[in-house]
Amino acid sequence: EDQVTQSPEALRLQEGESSSLNCSYTVSGLRGLFWYRQDPGKGPEFLFTLYSAGEEKEKERLKATLTKKESFLHITAPKPEDSATYLCAVMTTDSWGKLQFGAGTQVVVTP
Amino acid sequence: DAGITQSPRHKVTETGTPVTLRCHQTENHRYMYWYRQDPGHGLRLIHYSYGVKDTDKGEVSDGYSVSRSKTEDFLLTLESATSSQTSVYFCAISAKGYGYTFGSGTRLTVV
């Protein structure tokens, strides 16, 4: 059975305190791994797609990396506006068009 | 959430009544999805559509049906609402089966 697990469940950071979120996956075959950001009361917003081990993507203070078993979302020198829930999702080789999501990591950045 | 609208945004209904949620898109995307989001479970796929009148079940489809008679509209019906269907429902669209755009969600309470 395919599984996606995110850790930690919640993370509290001081402004400027860099950290990493983990998304580990167990799937039959990975077609792509996706990161989303979700603000309270809103739908998830797309951040990155990673397709193969070793791939990296960056956007402002966020950097996503991928290995054969997990993905990391690194937040460098976070600001309060980076507070959100971060979701990862996988698309497997036998489930085209369907994403399976992890439960998310809630990040709070305090000034 | 440009191009995708969910209605209603909030709804309270009684156990046993039918409920229909609507997702409307203006992007002419082929793929449309319904997810539910519950604490500790993340987003779970209910049903999806890969074209007009082409739909399929997701992992939590029991008690739900869908219809897509036009490219722009994807309806989710709870045939007889139960308290376990209290949740936040998100619609998503995709042109190619990945890189979803999500709606703002419908918060449904079944009393």
Side-chain angles (χ1 to χ4, degrees):
Chain A
E1 181 181 338
D2 298 332
Q3 286 194 333
V4 182
T5 304
Q6 292 188 246
S7 62
E9 292 184 9
L11 188 61
R12 192 173 184 90
L13 301 171
Q14 291 278 344
E15 184 171 3
E17 179 189 359
S18 300
S19 189
S20 296
L21 315 181
N22 178 263
C23 173
S24 64
Y25 60 91
T26 305
V27 299
S28 52
L30 183 70
R31 185 179 291 274
L33 186 139
F34 302 77
W35 282 99
Y36 286 82
R37 169 196 169 118
Q38 186 175 23
D39 294 305
K42 296 189 176 182
E45 177 184 344
F46 173 74
L47 292 173
F48 305 110
T49 307
L50 302 166
Y51 293 104
S52 57
E55 190 174 359
E56 299 181 350
K57 294 274 181 72
E58 285 190 69
K59 180 180 181 180
E60 297 181 357
R61 295 175 294 282
L62 301 177
K63 179 180 177 180
T65 62
L66 181 65
T67 73
K68 289 186 177 181
K69 293 184 178 180
E70 58 193 349
S71 177
F72 292 94
L73 184 65
H74 307 278
I75 309 178
T76 302
K79 298 181 177 181
E81 52 262 42
D82 294 321
S83 297
T85 296
Y86 292 86
L87 305 170
C88 79
V90 299
M91 184 181 296
T92 66
T93 52
D94 58 3
S95 65
W96 172 255
K98 296 186 289 183
L99 295 185
Q100 181 175 347
F101 284 83
T105 294
Q106 184 179 24
V107 174
V108 174
V109 183
T110 57
Chain B
D1 300 313
I4 178 170
T5 305
Q6 291 186 235
S7 59
R9 290 297 313 275
H10 302 273
K11 185 171 183 66
V12 179
T13 192
E14 293 186 350
T15 299
T17 60
V19 176
T20 296
L21 309 183
R22 182 186 185 225
C23 179
H24 178 77
Q25 62 146 327
T26 58
E27 304 295 326
N28 201 36
H29 284 344
R30 176 183 178 186
Y31 296 87
M32 298 186 77
Y33 308 84
W34 278 107
Y35 281 84
R36 61 179 288 174
Q37 187 172 39
D38 303 289
H41 289 279
L43 286 154
R44 291 180 291 174
L45 182 64
I46 306 171
H47 281 281
Y48 66 103
S49 171
Y50 41 96
V52 173
K53 297 186 179 179
D54 288 326
T55 65
D56 207 346
K57 297 179 179 179
E59 63 177 304
V60 290
S61 60
D62 287 348
Y64 302 94
S65 62
V66 291
S67 66
R68 191 172 179 198
S69 59
K70 299 184 291 184
T71 298
E72 57 266 36
D73 288 325
F74 193 33
L75 304 180
L76 176 71
T77 297
L78 288 65
E79 293 144 8
S80 177
T82 68
S83 59
S84 64
Q85 294 177 310
T86 292
S87 186
V88 181
Y89 291 85
F90 287 99
C91 176
I93 60 174
S94 172
K96 299 181 179 181
Y98 53 89
Y100 293 5
T101 299
F102 282 87
S104 297
T106 294
R107 183 172 295 276
L108 177 69
T109 302
V110 183
V111 298

